[in-house]
Amino acid sequence: MQPTQFSWIRSHRVAIGSFPHSWTALEQSGIRKVFSCCGPEEGEWSPPAGWLSKRWHLPDHRNPMLLKPSLLASALDDLETMAREASTHGALYLHCWAGVERSPLLAVGLLCRLENTNVLDALAQVRHLHPQAKPIPAQLILLEELIETERRTANIASKD
């Protein structure tokens, strides 16, 4: 079994990559939380006991289903919650099948939310740290619209 290749997006806190082929390699890197963007047809998935885990089936280029804003928002909510979990649970591994489309998309969204950056700056950071990142353009536009809407809503709420 080959080791899982991944990239740290935030040193020893958040990593992204492909479907895990070796839980041991991830655990040896300090990872004990995993967030999957893969559907059940993409592989057997059973993180080790004691790990925090979530799985959201998000569409990629092979899937004719469009990514819905509500699905993206809910997945980002769960991802953000996991990323904020106490470090006693270890670092977070965010993955999709190839580590190219879906996990980088969510990594961009996570950076936007946690670090209050815009989508293009977050995308540049993710691509710098994980050069194979190529989120689907239509999904990036959807993410940008979602982040802008969330920020407008938060600004309105803070003025009340």
Side-chain angles (χ1 to χ4, degrees):
M1 185 174 283
Q2 66 186 24
T4 299
Q5 297 295 314
F6 63 87
S7 304
W8 288 107
I9 298 302
R10 291 297 176 259
S11 293
H12 305 287
R13 290 182 293 153
V14 180
I16 64 172
S18 62
F19 195 89
H21 298 288
S22 171
W23 295 106
T24 303
L26 293 173
E27 195 161 32
Q28 288 172 346
S29 297
I31 294 169
R32 292 183 41 90
K33 298 184 280 190
V34 61
F35 188 99
S36 177
C37 302
C38 294
E41 72 284 357
E42 292 180 271
E44 186 72 27
W45 192 75
S46 55
W51 282 41
L52 295 177
S53 64
K54 289 278 184 182
R55 188 173 193 175
W56 282 85
H57 183 195
L58 302 181
D60 65 4
H61 73 278
R62 301 169 295 173
N63 191 326
M65 181 180 95
L66 293 178
L67 179 58
K68 296 189 179 350
S70 59
L71 179 61
L72 179 58
S74 295
L76 275 172
D77 289 345
D78 275 358
L79 177 61
E80 182 179 359
T81 298
M82 285 186 80
R84 291 180 185 277
E85 288 285 334
S87 61
T88 55
H89 286 89
L92 170 67
Y93 184 62
L94 168 60
H95 79 85
C96 56
W97 183 250
V100 174
E101 295 173 357
R102 297 170 288 178
S103 56
L105 176 76
L106 288 186
V108 169
L110 183 65
L111 294 182
C112 288
R113 283 184 169 188
L114 294 180
E115 299 175 6
N116 199 31
T117 188
N118 67 53
V119 169
L120 290 179
D121 288 343
L123 177 61
Q125 289 179 46
V126 169
R127 282 185 171 157
H128 175 74
L129 297 165
H130 189 70
Q132 60 269 46
K134 291 180 180 64
I136 297 169
Q139 291 182 352
L140 273 172
I141 291 167
L142 180 66
L143 175 63
E144 187 171 40
E145 291 168 355
L146 175 69
I147 296 296
E148 287 177 10
T149 299
E150 290 175 349
R151 290 184 178 159
R152 275 195 305 274
T153 302
N155 286 339
I156 291 169
S158 69
K159 290 180 184 177
D160 290 343

